[in-house]
Amino acid sequence: MTDKKATTVLRSSFIALAMFGFGYLMVPIYDVLCNITGLNGNTEIVSTQQEVEFEPDMTRTVKVQFVANLNNSMNWTFEPEIFELEVHPGQRIVTNYTAINHRPDAVVGQAIPSVMPGLASRHFHKVECFCFTNQTFAAKEERQMPVVFVVDPALPEKVEVITLSYTFFDVTETASVTPFTFEVPAGG
């Protein structure tokens, strides 16, 4: 092999390795970027203790819209219980989404949230959400899934409408399937 061919092979190998490394690091880099900038509607999670620190602004209302989407491979029904709600910033809100697995077998779904406009994502705080973990559904199971959130009173005045959107994806093949069970404590 000539020096020219060896150099070309070495450069090509380096470029291929660099492309693989870049592709491998894209997801963590993107996640960090989204968390820092609020890009792609990433929201902040607040604890219940932080939540109480918000003083509701009863002089202002913000319209919150709820959207539900399914990945094409999902044989589910997925929808919010209410499509739009007027809230006071700082007020703790609880709402539900309903999901039904129409498949004859268990399935694991992952809900990916998005908040629009992007400016609002930094001020939309989820306290509790089904999107925090994978959701395992037994065959033909139907479930109400709560979302508890607070809109920060520091939300800029120009934001009058916030859209909270979820897209459910089937992640059964990458997650272990254990049907959801709920046990009632004795005496209760």
Side-chain angles (χ1 to χ4, degrees):
M1 188 183 295
T2 66
D3 285 342
K4 191 173 183 179
K5 285 183 182 179
T7 303
T8 302
V9 168
L10 187 61
R11 283 183 183 168
S12 297
S13 298
F14 177 75
I15 290 171
L17 184 63
M19 288 172 56
F20 175 77
F22 182 72
Y24 182 77
L25 293 174
M26 279 300 291
V27 172
I29 291 170
Y30 181 75
D31 286 343
V32 168
L33 179 66
C34 289
N35 287 335
I36 291 171
T37 65
L39 184 66
N40 196 27
N42 281 356
T43 61
E44 293 184 13
I45 301 168
V46 296
S47 69
T48 307
Q49 186 176 15
Q50 287 176 304
E51 176 192 355
V52 238
E53 294 177 14
F54 291 123
E55 183 67 34
D57 182 354
M58 303 309 279
T59 65
R60 180 178 175 205
T61 60
V62 176
K63 191 179 296 185
V64 180
Q65 299 172 334
F66 303 97
V67 177
N69 300 296
L70 291 169
N71 178 278
N72 290 340
S73 66
M74 299 287 287
N75 185 13
W76 283 22
T77 299
F78 176 52
E79 58 190 17
E81 76 177 356
I82 189 167
F83 295 98
E84 192 172 272
L85 190 61
E86 293 276 336
V87 304
H88 295 286
Q91 181 181 19
R92 181 181 190 269
I93 303 296
V94 180
T95 189
N96 289 295
Y97 279 73
T98 301
I100 305 169
N101 172 19
H102 297 289
R103 290 173 43 171
D105 54 343
V107 64
V108 180
Q110 175 63 54
I112 305 298
S114 179
V115 174
M116 296 305 288
L119 177 62
S121 65
R122 285 278 188 212
H123 302 281
F124 192 90
H125 306 289
K126 287 181 279 180
V127 178
E128 183 180 321
C129 182
F130 57 91
C131 65
F132 294 162
T133 59
N134 288 348
Q135 299 295 314
T136 303
F137 279 72
K140 308 295 184 184
E141 181 180 358
E142 178 176 348
R143 186 181 315 157
Q144 295 286 316
M145 300 180 298
V147 178
V148 181
F149 67 90
V150 179
V151 175
D152 191 329
L155 177 74
E157 292 284 335
K158 66 182 178 181
V159 178
E160 297 174 356
V161 178
I162 298 173
T163 302
L164 174 61
S165 175
Y166 291 99
T167 301
F168 246 112
F169 292 88
D170 182 349
V171 295
T172 305
E173 294 196 18
T174 59
S176 62
V177 179
T178 307
F180 175 81
T181 58
F182 178 74
E183 295 180 21
V184 178

